[in-house]
Amino acid sequence: MAQQFSVFFLGVTGYIGGSVLVELKNRYPNAQFTALVRNPKDNAAVQAVGVQVVQGSHSDLDLIRKLSSENDVVINCGDSDDLPLTKAILAGLENRAQATPDASKKPILVHTSGTGLLQNERDGAFHSDKIYDDINIDDIKSIRVDAQHRDVDLEIFSAGKTGLIDPYIIAPSTVYGKGRGPVRNLSIQVNNMIRVALRRKEVVQTGPGTNVWNSVHIDDLANLYSLVLDHALSGKDKSTDPFERFYWGSGDEYVWGDITRELARLLYARGVIRSETLQIIKIEEEPILNPTASNSRSVSNRGIALGWKHNGTPLFETLPQEVEWTLAEAATNA
């Protein structure tokens, strides 16, 4: 697409952010991208994608406020839980709106949340008949105030009510597949389960493993970001409630116990764990695996209404590759 606009991007060195960056660079070749990068060693890789680098961290709030005020769009794939960071971004965008008032060109925020919003008991058991639909704003409004990510999301919804800016939230589920970004290209949930197994020489599972989550391939998720940004830039979004700009990044459901059993089979076949037998633990033993112990069920009908499709290889079918990628990572870091 030939549109010319400027983007301030946070999180380009991460798994999701890197892939989203590459997707948007390809989709908007005339857009100007500026990225906040904390570690100087990552500068060259980010610049190679055609992005201007500004050195800084999420604690540099004055800098973030300034950069947000200087760009048409801010995309935050860097942190879903940093409230001061979010307030600085919103303040910068609101300053831009007030300095150049044009109702047809409001500053845009695309923020990354997560379906961790819906997590319940972390005991590895099935607890959730409720499936949250993003096209039903009552579902989104009903999410607990004390849920993970919720304080940040509520701040963004509140900013949307001012009418100064157009904020959008995308909340991915379990993301999998090889990323396309300039720095980090492996995910967290499944890969952390593999990393823990390599350290312990056994695959662990919390409780009976009957808990259910959704999954989304990284390429499909990146495509959702581009569809949402297309929609935001089009001027065709007639939504009047900020909760109508919330999108689950959710595809097929899976049961965590199916994942752990298959990982045990694959890792035992590779000779890197002692047995295919699962070790049942309490999540307090391995808190890094927190999401694997809960339920989180959602459906992205709002994304589907934009034309979003799930084209990626299903999660279960990628597990052999996830094992090999994570083993290669471990060998590199050894």
Side-chain angles (χ1 to χ4, degrees):
M1 301 181 73
Q3 286 159 287
Q4 293 185 335
F5 57 93
S6 59
V7 180
F8 173 42
F9 206 119
L10 298 96
V12 294
T13 62
Y15 170 63
I16 292 176
S19 289
V20 171
L21 172 68
V22 170
E23 173 83 10
L24 296 183
K25 281 286 295 176
N26 290 337
R27 193 171 187 85
Y28 298 105
N30 295 322
Q32 296 179 328
F33 286 78
T34 300
L36 187 74
V37 177
R38 180 181 58 82
N39 196 326
K41 74 178 181 61
D42 295 328
N43 289 357
V46 175
Q47 289 166 336
V49 184
V51 177
Q52 178 183 346
V53 167
V54 175
Q55 215 77 60
S57 73
H58 291 173
S59 61
D60 295 323
L61 299 181
D62 289 340
L63 174 63
I64 288 164
R65 189 179 300 109
K66 177 177 180 290
L67 290 167
S68 298
S69 73
E70 294 173 345
N71 287 274
D72 302 308
V73 177
V74 176
I75 297 176
N76 181 14
C77 294
D79 198 313
S80 303
D81 298 303
D82 190 330
L83 189 57
L85 168 68
T86 302
K87 288 182 175 180
I89 292 169
L90 293 171
L93 290 172
E94 289 169 354
N95 288 344
R96 182 177 184 81
Q98 291 164 341
T100 56
D102 182 350
S104 66
K105 282 193 65 176
K106 294 180 185 178
I108 294 166
L109 169 64
V110 182
H111 172 80
T112 306
S113 182
T115 65
L117 283 160
L118 306 178
Q119 289 187 91
N120 50 25
E121 291 85 349
R122 291 172 172 83
D123 59 5
F126 179 78
H127 288 290
S128 181
D129 289 319
K130 171 68 176 174
I131 298 175
Y132 288 77
D133 187 342
D134 55 9
I135 214 161
N136 181 349
I137 62 173
D138 289 335
D139 273 5
I140 308 309
K141 289 180 177 181
S142 72
I143 295 170
R144 298 190 334 267
V145 174
D146 63 346
Q148 184 182 20
H149 316 315
R150 190 59 167 173
D151 58 340
V152 170
D153 289 359
L154 290 173
E155 188 73 20
I156 294 169
F157 290 135
S158 179
K161 292 176 182 177
T162 68
L164 291 172
I165 68 172
D166 285 340
Y168 294 78
I169 297 175
I170 298 175
S173 52
T174 295
V175 192
Y176 66 94
K178 194 69 171 287
R180 294 179 287 152
V183 181
R184 294 175 186 83
N185 284 303
L186 291 187
S187 189
I188 296 174
Q189 292 181 7
V190 170
N191 304 84
N192 274 348
M193 187 165 277
I194 298 168
R195 294 174 186 119
V196 169
L198 295 177
R199 170 167 51 79
R200 295 176 59 125
K201 306 301 180 186
E202 61 187 0
V203 174
V204 300
Q205 174 179 293
T206 306
T210 52
N211 51 315
V212 175
W213 268 68
N214 297 85
S215 61
V216 61
H217 193 282
I218 183 61
D219 291 342
D220 292 337
L221 179 62
N223 179 246
L224 178 60
Y225 277 80
S226 68
L227 289 171
V228 169
L229 185 55
D230 284 353
H231 186 54
L233 292 166
S234 71
K236 297 177 181 178
D237 186 349
K238 304 305 180 186
S239 57
T240 58
D241 190 320
F243 287 86
E244 294 178 285
R245 296 189 178 121
F246 181 96
Y247 295 79
W248 296 122
S250 299
D252 294 337
E253 287 193 334
Y254 66 93
V255 178
W256 268 111
D258 294 339
I259 302 298
T260 54
R261 285 188 292 272
E262 180 64 3
L263 288 178
R265 186 187 71 82
L266 291 167
L267 290 167
Y268 183 68
R270 291 289 270 106
V272 292
I273 60 173
R274 291 185 290 264
S275 167
E276 284 189 49
T277 302
L278 298 175
Q279 180 67 30
I280 306 303
I281 65 168
K282 292 185 180 299
I283 195 58
E284 290 77 14
E285 294 180 45
E286 297 289 353
I288 196 173
L289 299 180
N290 238 322
T292 73
S294 62
N295 296 267
S296 176
R297 307 182 70 193
S298 54
V299 59
S300 183
N301 279 322
R302 194 171 294 280
I304 290 168
L306 293 181
W308 190 42
K309 295 180 173 61
H310 305 143
N311 297 316
T313 304
L315 171 59
F316 199 83
E317 294 176 27
T318 70
L319 292 181
Q321 292 175 295
E322 298 287 353
V323 165
E324 295 306 319
W325 294 331
T326 311
L327 288 174
E329 174 195 70
T332 299
N333 295 336

